[in-house]
Amino acid sequence: EVQLVESGGDSVQPGGSLKLSCDYGDYPYVGFCMGWFRQAPGKAREGVATINNAGTKQYADSVKGRFMISRDAAKNTLLLEMSKLKPEDTAMYYCAIRSWGGDCDTASSSQFRYWGQGTQVTVSS
């Protein structure tokens, strides 16, 4: 069973930066789509960024130019570098994995089988 563990969440001021990590352990599939999602209180879950096994990345419009997703295959780690943070970025952030590649739309969260427990990001002055 694939287990995901997020870390790196914190409280920061607007304009600040954070780097989230997701340790996904020994992933047994060749194809994949890995992604970061977030959910704020009272709001629906939202896709933030995804990356597939071909290295193709997709971002939600709200984070383009500010967030960057990457994967460190040697360390089995999925990363999300966030900059120019805004109060509306405040949410619980989750990493997730879908066990096949191809198009990896940020709106496709229902296709993701494996989920972490989340890490809280709070942006406030």
Side-chain angles (χ1 to χ4, degrees):
E1 184 73 10
V2 177
Q3 293 187 331
L4 309 179
V5 180
E6 302 96 335
S7 62
D10 204 346
S11 294
V12 296
Q13 293 187 342
S17 300
L18 277 177
K19 186 174 183 178
L20 305 184
S21 297
C22 174
D23 180 354
Y24 57 84
D26 187 15
Y27 181 72
Y29 305 106
V30 174
F32 62 82
C33 173
M34 296 185 181
W36 287 97
F37 298 82
R38 66 187 181 186
Q39 189 166 20
K43 294 188 177 182
R45 186 170 56 196
E46 174 189 22
V48 176
T50 61
I51 182 170
N52 67 9
N53 53 287
T56 302
K57 303 175 183 181
Q58 297 191 42
Y59 296 92
D61 288 342
S62 59
V63 305
K64 283 181 181 177
R66 300 189 300 121
F67 290 12
M68 184 171 70
I69 189 171
S70 62
R71 188 176 73 97
D72 186 334
K75 297 182 179 179
N76 290 343
T77 301
L78 182 68
L79 303 168
L80 184 68
E81 296 180 71
M82 306 185 294
S83 62
K84 302 176 184 178
L85 284 162
K86 304 175 182 180
E88 51 263 44
D89 294 318
T90 295
M92 185 72 78
Y93 283 71
Y94 301 89
C95 66
I97 297 179
R98 184 186 78 185
S99 57
W100 70 91
D103 183 47
C104 201
D105 195 301
T106 55
S108 62
S109 64
S110 62
Q111 298 177 353
F112 286 70
R113 175 179 178 183
Y114 305 105
W115 291 83
Q117 294 300 307
T119 186
Q120 178 68 37
V121 172
T122 302
V123 185
S124 174
S125 55

